[in-house]
Amino acid sequence: MTTTNFPKIDLHLHLDGALSIPFLRSLAQESGHPMTDSEIRKAVTVSDTCQSLPEYLRCFELLTQLLQTEKALTLGTFDVIRQLEEQGLFYAELRFAPQHYTQQGLTQQQTIAAVLKGVDMAKRAGFHIRIGILLCMLVTGSPAENQETAELAVAYKDIGVAGLDLAGPESAVPMSEFQPLFHFAYQSGLPFTIHAGECGDYENISRAISFGARRIGHGCAARFSEDCMRLLEKEQIVLEMCPTSNVQTKAVPALSEHPIRMFFDRGIAVTVNTDNMTVSNTTLDKEYALLKKQFHFTDQELAKISQTAMRGAFCKL
């Protein structure tokens, strides 16, 4: 754990992609299909040769398979929060897609209750980190499933759920199809973020902002449009950038071409996040180290990024 003179905050962290290898080993054992740590790590950690977001997402196949019970979701949530507590984070938002975990009979509502139970377990264990839960609709999900996710996010708005998201292979379905669901969330007073401009075009970022998103997941493609960058700057939309993951999914060709320094210097509200600690083999401290080494961010600049994350948080900090 690295000690900083500013609060460590992760706004973009997928619950399933952050489960520890020992916890996954225990789930595999309980499922009747024991695996070694190296077998699990190979299955759930992205390879150095990853060439696309769809290839990156294949690392979630085993993770999804192992999280199909209430017990697994509850203990998995506790496992991730424990890691974050040990890393000294002040606040984190954990996001997950309830519809992923209904393959063995759970309802979406049961998956949400199970995750919130894990958050409560962490509180009762005396952890100091604050946690917000975001529900993800899926680009490739059915309209009915996505509508249910949005409705449940609103229903749980004041009892544990902090916001809504849309995740998945961004270009698979036009973002315009999700506008009614985000309009519903907006009218209900539920904040939301949208994966946009990760491996899709910059126009998705503008669309997401027009829906009412005050945060954008990744947003790397904004670098291709001066108008889009001006919009982000003018509206002070918070970008949830994940440098390691962005290179792995080829949202950027190489770390040296990541736009986070350019965005920061021109006044766009950037934050640094992990996306998936286990899948991407990273931590927030590792991301800080990358920014310092590759882009010469100072501690004072990282503190400013932390302040931006605090402002962008869906929970009042």
Side-chain angles (χ1 to χ4, degrees), residues 12 14 53-54 57 95 97 100 136-141 165-173 175 178 194-200 204 218:
H12 193 116
H14 292 269
L53 177 59
L57 293 177
R95 59 187 74 190
H100 265 325
C136 295
M137 299 183 293
L138 295 174
V139 172
T140 53
D165 182 24
L166 174 67
E170 187 181 340
S171 57
V173 177
M175 187 173 286
F178 301 96
I194 303 177
H195 281 68
E198 179 182 14
C199 296
N204 277 343
H218 305 293

Side-chain angles (χ1 to χ4, degrees), residues 121-272:
M121 279 181 61
K123 289 178 183 175
R124 288 188 281 108
F127 294 169
H128 295 96
I129 183 173
R130 295 193 58 188
I131 296 293
I133 296 296
L134 308 187
L135 303 188
C136 295
M137 299 183 293
L138 295 174
V139 172
T140 53
S142 73
E145 288 175 319
N146 283 330
Q147 182 171 339
E148 183 179 2
T149 301
E151 290 175 350
L152 285 169
V154 169
Y156 278 84
K157 177 165 67 82
D158 298 317
I159 48 175
V161 171
L164 185 65
D165 182 24
L166 174 67
E170 187 181 340
S171 57
V173 177
M175 187 173 286
S176 57
E177 293 195 12
F178 301 96
Q179 191 276 338
L181 294 173
F182 285 113
H183 179 71
F184 166 71
Y186 184 83
Q187 292 296 110
S188 302
L190 180 72
F192 54 87
T193 179
I194 303 177
H195 281 68
E198 179 182 14
C199 296
D201 60 45
Y202 62 82
E203 292 178 348
N204 277 343
I205 299 171
S206 300
R207 290 188 190 98
I209 296 170
S210 75
F211 294 169
R214 301 303 300 171
R215 282 175 23 199
I216 297 293
H218 305 293
C220 295
R223 70 191 189 277
F224 298 122
S225 169
E226 181 63 28
D227 286 344
C228 187
M229 288 189 287
R230 284 199 197 102
L231 178 63
L232 290 170
E233 186 177 357
K234 176 186 174 186
E235 298 296 330
Q236 279 298 285
I237 303 299
V238 173
L239 293 185
E240 308 157 0
M241 308 208 84
C242 309
T244 294
S245 169
N246 294 154
V247 174
Q248 292 166 336
T249 64
K250 294 302 177 281
V252 294
L255 184 62
S256 60
E257 296 183 51
H258 199 285
I260 191 167
R261 166 53 86 176
M262 183 261 287
F263 287 169
F264 179 87
D265 287 345
R266 67 176 288 163
I268 293 172
V270 297
T271 62
V272 60

Side-chain angles (χ1 to χ4, degrees), residues 12-18 60 95-96 136 165 167 195 275-276:
H12 193 116
L13 177 56
H14 292 269
L15 173 63
D16 42 9
F60 288 84
R95 59 187 74 190
F96 79 106
C136 295
D165 182 24
H195 281 68
D275 202 6
N276 300 284

Side-chain angles (χ1 to χ4, degrees), residues 280-311:
S280 286
N281 189 26
T282 193
T283 64
L284 201 55
D285 285 336
K286 285 185 179 180
E287 298 301 314
Y288 290 154
L290 282 179
L291 295 189
K292 286 183 173 183
K293 182 177 180 180
Q294 181 69 47
F295 301 109
H296 309 294
F297 275 89
T298 65
D299 286 341
Q300 291 75 21
E301 289 173 327
L302 291 178
K304 184 175 180 180
I305 287 175
S306 175
Q307 290 170 359
T308 299
M310 193 170 291
R311 171 174 65 83

